[in-house]
Amino acid sequence: MVAELSDKEFAIQRIQEVNDALASGMYVLARRMLHNTPACDVALLLESSPPKTRAVIWQLVDADEHGDILEELSEEVQKSIIRQMAPEKLAAATEGMDTDDLAYVLRGLPDPVYQEVLKSMDSQDRQRAEMALSYDEDSAGGMMNTDTITLRPEVSIDVVLRYLRLKGELPEATDKLYVVNRDDRFIGEISLASLLTVEPSLLVSEVMQADVQGIPANLEDTEVAKLFERHDWVSAPVIDDDNRLLGRITIDDVVDIIREEAQHSMLSMAGLEDDEDTFAPVVTSARRRSVWLAVNLVTALLAAAVSSMFEDILAQMAILAILNTIVPSMGGIAGSQTLTLVIRAMAMGHISQSNSRWLIGKELAIGAINGAIWAILIAAVVALWKQDWVIGGIIAFAMMMNLLAAGLAGVTIPLILKRFNIDPALAGGVILTTVTDVVGIFAFLGTATLLLT
Amino acid sequence: MVAELSDKEFAIQRIQEVNDALASGMYVLARRMLHNTPACDVALLLESSPPKTRAVIWQLVDADEHGDILEELSEEVQKSIIRQMAPEKLAAATEGMDTDDLAYVLRGLPDPVYQEVLKSMDSQDRQRAEMALSYDEDSAGGMMNTDTITLRPEVSIDVVLRYLRLKGELPEATDKLYVVNRDDRFIGEISLASLLTVEPSLLVSEVMQADVQGIPANLEDTEVAKLFERHDWVSAPVIDDDNRLLGRITIDDVVDIIREEAQHSMLSMAGLEDDEDTFAPVVTSARRRSVWLAVNLVTALLAAAVSSMFEDILAQMAILAILNTIVPSMGGIAGSQTLTLVIRAMAMGHISQSNSRWLIGKELAIGAINGAIWAILIAAVVALWKQDWVIGGIIAFAMMMNLLAAGLAGVTIPLILKRFNIDPALAGGVILTTVTDVVGIFAFLGTATLLLT
């Protein structure tokens, strides 16, 4: 029980042990430990290691484990490893890989190596790979495997049962067999459960579920995931435009998509790429993150430029300079709460034309309520702290305005971005902060200028 | 194909149509449309509707659909609906529900209603519910269903096959049957695939996989999800402390956990509760969000208090007031990038003692590189804009310091919080911003005070 269930602690402990062995130069010991570690744990170990350690570990792993480990690695770590492998070794590692993983690995290669790997493959693998590569990486065709078992409608269940017994083993995660006609067109499916429970003398055509539709090969992967979630599928057939059966998608690949999609929003909101590898080399990471910092610098300078318009009053009253950050900061927080919720609701398919107006109304109402509460509070704090009721009133007014603006911007910015096909998770935050900064500063310093000069 | 595959657009269109029908008071039409809508789409419609519309839709839905729809609803929306249902109706709706959903619904009820619902259930449902309720909601026991099919080791496969044929139907998502001994202790499992492929004269004990471990009923749900992901399971047995088989967990429930867990970090980072319902009533939402605004107000006041320490120089030089927000803002962005990555890496089990020191080094290096780049750039911008090289130099120095602090804080804050069992996604952001605000202001205004007065 322990070995199975505290997996995670085990993996962490193993990482520690392997690292200790490596650090003390005990490579033979480390190799033996790695030999006894399942592929999914070696993958975790690689993902949790800095670049140099990664290279050493990869050297120590048995070559015939390479394929299994590559399948388990996350995209970016996988890429960093296959780029350093010799083409023959890579071809050997990909032997017998699932079609989708095979295509995935090949896509990560520079063109000359790619051609070489393709050449060193056996013809069946090459064919499968070329088929999968003809579809977009993020489509049903790019996710599918070709290990389907197909039946003809006119045979009896009894024949099917004998056939399966002869076959001896079914591909992993097989819960259904697919029924195709003479032209390979998908016409229905039979679950293993029904094979086990129906009368064996019946024909496949009498037992099969015929009202099932295959997934078109060019459907986006996130849509595939939604279908799986809605219908609680374990596997589903993939078809081409002519309804010909091409392969199948299994739930384990869908789970990866679901996790990636859910993490995508969080990473995008921090201006990070999807697959950012925590242990990527310093320069790679620094370059990636600098893009977002550049965008933010522009925003920050814009806010400074707005403050700069009020230089006169700032020069007269240092207290305004001190309080100037409070209103933009609160607006930014309130706005990003709304933005986060709307982005999530969009991803779940909850936002439509009919409810977005209601939502804007709701967020404005929340802005008004919270604006009023924090306006009163901040006025009281400022009045007590700085003994100045006028400035307390001014900051209260600015707070109210900015929380209303934040609520409005938090809903409308993602709606507008989506209409222009821009990812709201990626761009929404910066635009929102710009709005709340500018409105906050204008409302505070502008009102102060009107009333105090 | 269309009906099946553009599900999502269909659902959105249907939402629009039902809303139109409701808005124009055509309740009979709306009722008919709802009648023809699958439970998962009605759930989506409810989740996408404001509170009032929700109540109306619920009234119009067929009562015998209530159970199926409740099963599909997200936690918070489900709660808001069951709180308004009469206990008898609720008892009727829960009839035949999966054990885990049943327990889920009951947990959402106030105590008197709960007792009443429990009383109106038939004894079998009540027993199942009480068993599930005895486990924590977020544990394997709380997620499991009791619809397992069990076999004895000493019978032959042939007998099993005859038994299944007699039974006629298997529970949903059944991919394995479980083998238990006389004391109901779990001793192994047999996949449907192997039932179909092995020699029927063999005994269950000869065919079963015996090296499988059940999931302990008190294992946390997120750990259960990790096991499913690592082993690509479709279903798995749940056992008690004495290894007695209690039920099974299926992948569809695990997928929900995976999505929730991945969304949890994003929502927490914006200070929102897990299940915040986008269409919750205004007052509920306003109250929830105000907690986070209150925390942020304290942070903002703290930053203002730090600025206040430099009131003299701010009073002398308004330009410092104008530029004062830039360094804290850049530090906040850089820090939250690091924080986001570390939080994600922690959730994936990538962070251990052996690599956290490397990671701190890496983030400090990134801070130094990006700090240097943006320091030079901001110095140039300020020098050109305000014709002041000294202040350009001061802001460059402050930028450098703050990006280093951001990198360090971005790694160490979540590590420290985790050691104290505080959710880094929830508390990390505020603490980080406080650090980058304080360091940024101190570095900028402090250096300015030293050099310019």
Side-chain angles (χ1 to χ4, degrees):
Chain A
M1 191 157 97
V2 174
E4 175 84 18
L5 285 166
S6 46
D7 265 12
K8 203 182 126 203
E9 286 95 73
F10 248 63
I12 287 174
Q13 206 187 317
R14 211 177 283 127
I15 288 172
Q16 190 71 53
E17 285 168 5
V18 175
N19 275 326
D20 288 349
L22 291 176
S24 42
M26 292 154 81
Y27 294 114
V28 180
L29 176 65
R31 183 193 293 272
R32 196 164 55 229
M33 287 163 69
L34 286 168
H35 181 74
N36 295 322
T37 307
C40 56
D41 284 344
V42 179
L44 188 65
L45 177 60
L46 287 164
E47 286 172 353
S48 319
S49 299
K52 272 185 206 159
T53 321
R54 250 178 221 172
V56 176
I57 293 170
W58 191 247
Q59 298 281 322
L60 294 175
V61 166
D62 298 346
D64 43 340
E65 285 289 309
H66 281 169
D68 290 344
I69 297 167
L70 283 177
E71 285 188 316
E72 301 277 343
L73 283 175
S74 72
E75 188 175 353
E76 196 181 338
V77 181
Q78 192 195 63
K79 261 189 202 150
S80 75
I81 286 180
I82 58 178
R83 291 234 167 105
Q84 293 169 357
M85 283 175 79
E88 328 75 76
K89 284 205 179 164
L90 200 48
T94 56
E95 219 170 281
M97 244 188 201
D98 285 348
T99 320
D100 56 335
D101 292 313
L102 189 59
Y104 213 69
V105 166
L106 287 173
R107 266 185 246 268
L109 293 176
D111 205 52
V113 187
Y114 167 103
Q115 294 298 345
E116 224 173 312
V117 172
L118 216 55
K119 252 189 280 170
S120 355
M121 282 178 169
D122 69 32
S123 71
Q124 205 199 341
D125 274 355
R126 186 162 52 233
Q127 243 176 346
R128 288 195 302 135
E130 280 172 342
M131 211 256 284
L133 286 167
S134 70
Y135 294 102
D136 191 77
E137 183 174 6
D138 301 322
S139 71
M143 289 170 76
M144 75 185 174
N145 284 314
T146 45
D147 56 357
T148 50
I149 298 183
T150 54
L151 308 173
R152 282 289 157 77
E154 65 273 12
V155 300
S156 71
I157 298 300
D158 200 39
V159 171
V160 174
L161 292 176
R162 267 183 287 144
Y163 164 70
L164 292 178
R165 202 143 284 146
L166 259 168
K167 203 167 155 33
E169 208 179 334
L170 305 187
E172 260 180 85
T174 296
D175 67 326
K176 288 172 198 153
L177 308 186
Y178 301 117
V179 187
V180 294
N181 68 12
R182 238 157 258 199
D183 308 322
D184 248 3
R185 285 193 163 73
F186 174 70
I187 54 175
E189 59 185 33
I190 292 191
S191 68
L192 298 192
S194 59
L195 283 179
L196 286 166
T197 49
V198 298
E199 184 51 50
S201 61
L202 289 170
L203 295 183
V204 164
S205 59
E206 295 172 301
V207 176
M208 73 179 189
Q209 250 195 298
D211 58 343
V212 197
Q213 288 297 334
I215 297 180
N218 51 17
L219 194 73
E220 237 182 286
D221 55 0
T222 51
E223 292 300 310
V224 172
K226 284 207 181 89
L227 286 171
F228 267 78
E229 271 201 271
R230 289 165 65 81
H231 300 281
D232 290 345
W233 288 334
V234 169
S235 74
V238 179
I239 52 168
D240 69 9
D241 292 339
D242 296 324
N243 203 28
R244 253 188 297 264
L245 183 71
L246 298 173
R248 65 185 187 119
I249 294 175
T250 50
I251 183 78
D252 50 312
D253 293 321
V254 173
V255 166
D256 292 342
I257 301 290
I258 291 174
R259 186 183 279 285
E260 272 167 31
E261 200 199 351
Q263 287 183 343
H264 165 83
S265 302
M266 174 168 109
L267 292 176
S268 300
M269 287 184 86
L272 298 164
E273 285 184 51
D274 269 50
D275 246 49
E276 163 98 45
D277 164 13
T278 319
F279 296 92
V282 169
V283 178
T284 315
S285 296
R287 198 181 48 233
R288 276 189 194 148
R289 298 200 209 156
S290 64
V291 179
W292 204 239
L293 289 168
V295 173
N296 184 65
L297 186 64
V298 175
T299 309
L301 283 171
L302 189 68
V306 174
S307 289
S308 182
M309 294 166 59
F310 302 100
E311 191 161 357
D312 290 349
I313 197 160
L314 285 171
Q316 286 163 39
M317 309 181 69
I319 180 175
L320 295 180
I322 291 164
L323 301 176
N324 192 24
T325 50
I326 295 174
V327 174
S329 158
M330 292 291 277
I333 294 286
S336 63
Q337 288 189 323
T338 306
L339 184 72
T340 305
L341 281 176
V342 172
I343 286 171
R344 190 184 76 129
M346 277 182 166
M348 315 264 291
H350 287 173
I351 308 282
S352 64
Q353 261 198 316
S354 56
N355 60 23
S356 53
R357 199 169 310 159
W358 186 88
L359 201 57
I360 292 174
K362 172 184 168 170
E363 293 298 329
L364 280 174
I366 293 177
I369 295 176
N370 278 336
I373 294 172
W374 303 113
I376 293 169
L377 206 78
I378 190 71
V381 170
V382 168
L384 292 173
W385 181 23
K386 298 289 175 184
Q387 304 296 330
D388 193 329
W389 279 100
V390 179
I391 289 181
I394 293 170
I395 200 168
F397 170 75
M399 182 78 85
M400 187 79 197
M401 289 298 108
N402 208 22
L403 290 203
L404 283 172
L408 187 63
V411 184
T412 50
I413 289 171
L415 287 175
I416 294 168
L417 287 175
K418 214 186 169 190
R419 186 153 305 172
F420 289 100
N421 267 323
I422 302 169
D423 179 4
L426 190 61
V430 202
I431 303 179
L432 179 95
T433 323
T434 310
V435 171
T436 50
D437 277 0
V438 170
V439 172
I441 295 169
F442 255 113
F444 181 56
L445 297 183
T447 315
T449 307
L450 283 179
L451 295 184
L452 302 176
T453 53
Chain B
M1 193 158 98
V2 173
E4 175 82 21
L5 286 167
S6 47
D7 263 12
K8 202 182 128 202
E9 286 95 71
F10 248 63
I12 287 174
Q13 206 188 317
R14 210 178 282 127
I15 289 172
Q16 189 71 53
E17 284 169 6
V18 175
N19 274 327
D20 288 349
L22 291 175
S24 42
M26 292 153 81
Y27 294 113
V28 180
L29 176 65
R31 183 193 293 271
R32 198 165 52 226
M33 286 163 69
L34 286 168
H35 181 74
N36 295 321
T37 307
C40 57
D41 284 343
V42 179
L44 188 64
L45 178 60
L46 287 164
E47 285 172 354
S48 318
S49 300
K52 273 185 206 159
T53 321
R54 248 176 222 173
V56 176
I57 294 170
W58 192 247
Q59 298 280 322
L60 293 176
V61 166
D62 299 346
D64 43 342
E65 285 289 309
H66 280 170
D68 290 342
I69 297 168
L70 283 176
E71 285 187 316
E72 301 278 343
L73 283 175
S74 72
E75 188 175 354
E76 197 180 338
V77 181
Q78 191 195 65
K79 258 187 204 154
S80 75
I81 286 180
I82 58 179
R83 290 234 168 104
Q84 292 170 358
M85 284 175 78
E88 329 76 75
K89 285 205 178 166
L90 200 46
T94 55
E95 218 169 281
M97 244 187 203
D98 284 348
T99 320
D100 56 337
D101 293 312
L102 188 60
Y104 214 69
V105 167
L106 288 173
R107 264 184 248 268
L109 293 175
D111 205 55
V113 187
Y114 166 104
Q115 295 297 345
E116 225 172 310
V117 173
L118 217 54
K119 252 188 279 168
S120 357
M121 283 178 170
D122 70 32
S123 72
Q124 204 199 341
D125 275 354
R126 185 161 53 234
Q127 240 175 346
R128 287 196 303 136
E130 280 172 342
M131 211 255 284
L133 285 166
S134 70
Y135 293 102
D136 190 76
E137 182 174 5
D138 301 323
S139 71
M143 289 171 75
M144 76 185 173
N145 285 315
T146 45
D147 57 357
T148 50
I149 298 183
T150 53
L151 308 172
R152 282 290 155 79
E154 65 274 11
V155 300
S156 71
I157 298 299
D158 200 39
V159 172
V160 174
L161 292 176
R162 268 184 286 145
Y163 163 71
L164 292 178
R165 202 142 285 144
L166 259 167
K167 202 167 157 34
E169 209 180 334
L170 305 187
E172 260 180 87
T174 296
D175 67 324
K176 289 172 199 150
L177 308 185
Y178 301 117
V179 187
V180 295
N181 68 11
R182 235 157 259 200
D183 307 323
D184 247 2
R185 285 192 165 74
F186 174 71
I187 54 173
E189 60 186 30
I190 292 191
S191 69
L192 297 193
S194 59
L195 282 178
L196 285 166
T197 49
V198 298
E199 185 50 52
S201 61
L202 291 169
L203 295 182
V204 164
S205 58
E206 295 172 298
V207 176
M208 73 180 190
Q209 249 195 299
D211 57 343
V212 198
Q213 287 297 335
I215 298 179
N218 51 16
L219 194 72
E220 237 182 286
D221 55 0
T222 52
E223 291 300 311
V224 172
K226 284 207 182 86
L227 286 171
F228 267 78
E229 272 202 89
R230 289 166 65 81
H231 300 281
D232 290 343
W233 288 335
V234 169
S235 74
V238 178
I239 52 167
D240 69 8
D241 291 340
D242 296 324
N243 203 27
R244 253 187 297 264
L245 183 71
L246 297 173
R248 65 182 188 124
I249 294 176
T250 50
I251 183 76
D252 50 311
D253 292 322
V254 173
V255 166
D256 292 342
I257 301 290
I258 290 175
R259 185 183 281 283
E260 272 167 32
E261 199 198 354
Q263 287 182 343
H264 164 82
S265 301
M266 175 168 109
L267 291 175
S268 301
M269 286 184 85
L272 299 163
E273 282 183 54
D274 269 50
D275 245 50
E276 163 98 46
D277 164 13
T278 319
F279 297 92
V282 170
V283 177
T284 315
S285 297
R287 199 182 46 234
R288 278 190 192 145
R289 299 201 208 155
S290 64
V291 178
W292 204 239
L293 289 168
V295 173
N296 185 64
L297 187 64
V298 175
T299 310
L301 283 171
L302 189 66
V306 174
S307 290
S308 181
M309 294 166 61
F310 302 98
E311 191 161 356
D312 291 348
I313 196 160
L314 285 171
Q316 286 165 40
M317 310 181 68
I319 181 175
L320 295 179
I322 291 163
L323 301 176
N324 191 24
T325 50
I326 295 175
V327 174
S329 158
M330 292 291 278
I333 294 285
S336 63
Q337 289 190 321
T338 305
L339 184 72
T340 304
L341 282 177
V342 173
I343 287 170
R344 189 183 75 131
M346 276 178 165
M348 315 263 291
H350 287 173
I351 308 280
S352 64
Q353 260 197 315
S354 56
N355 59 24
S356 53
R357 198 169 313 157
W358 186 89
L359 201 57
I360 293 174
K362 171 184 169 170
E363 293 297 330
L364 280 175
I366 293 177
I369 294 175
N370 279 334
I373 294 172
W374 303 113
I376 294 169
L377 205 78
I378 190 71
V381 170
V382 168
L384 292 173
W385 181 23
K386 297 288 175 187
Q387 304 296 331
D388 192 329
W389 280 99
V390 179
I391 289 182
I394 292 171
I395 199 169
F397 170 76
M399 183 77 85
M400 188 79 199
M401 290 298 105
N402 208 22
L403 290 204
L404 283 171
L408 187 63
V411 184
T412 50
I413 289 171
L415 287 175
I416 293 167
L417 287 175
K418 214 186 169 189
R419 186 153 304 170
F420 289 101
N421 267 324
I422 302 169
D423 180 3
L426 191 62
V430 203
I431 303 180
L432 178 95
T433 323
T434 310
V435 171
T436 51
D437 277 359
V438 170
V439 172
I441 296 170
F442 254 114
F444 182 56
L445 297 182
T447 316
T449 307
L450 283 179
L451 296 184
L452 303 176
T453 52

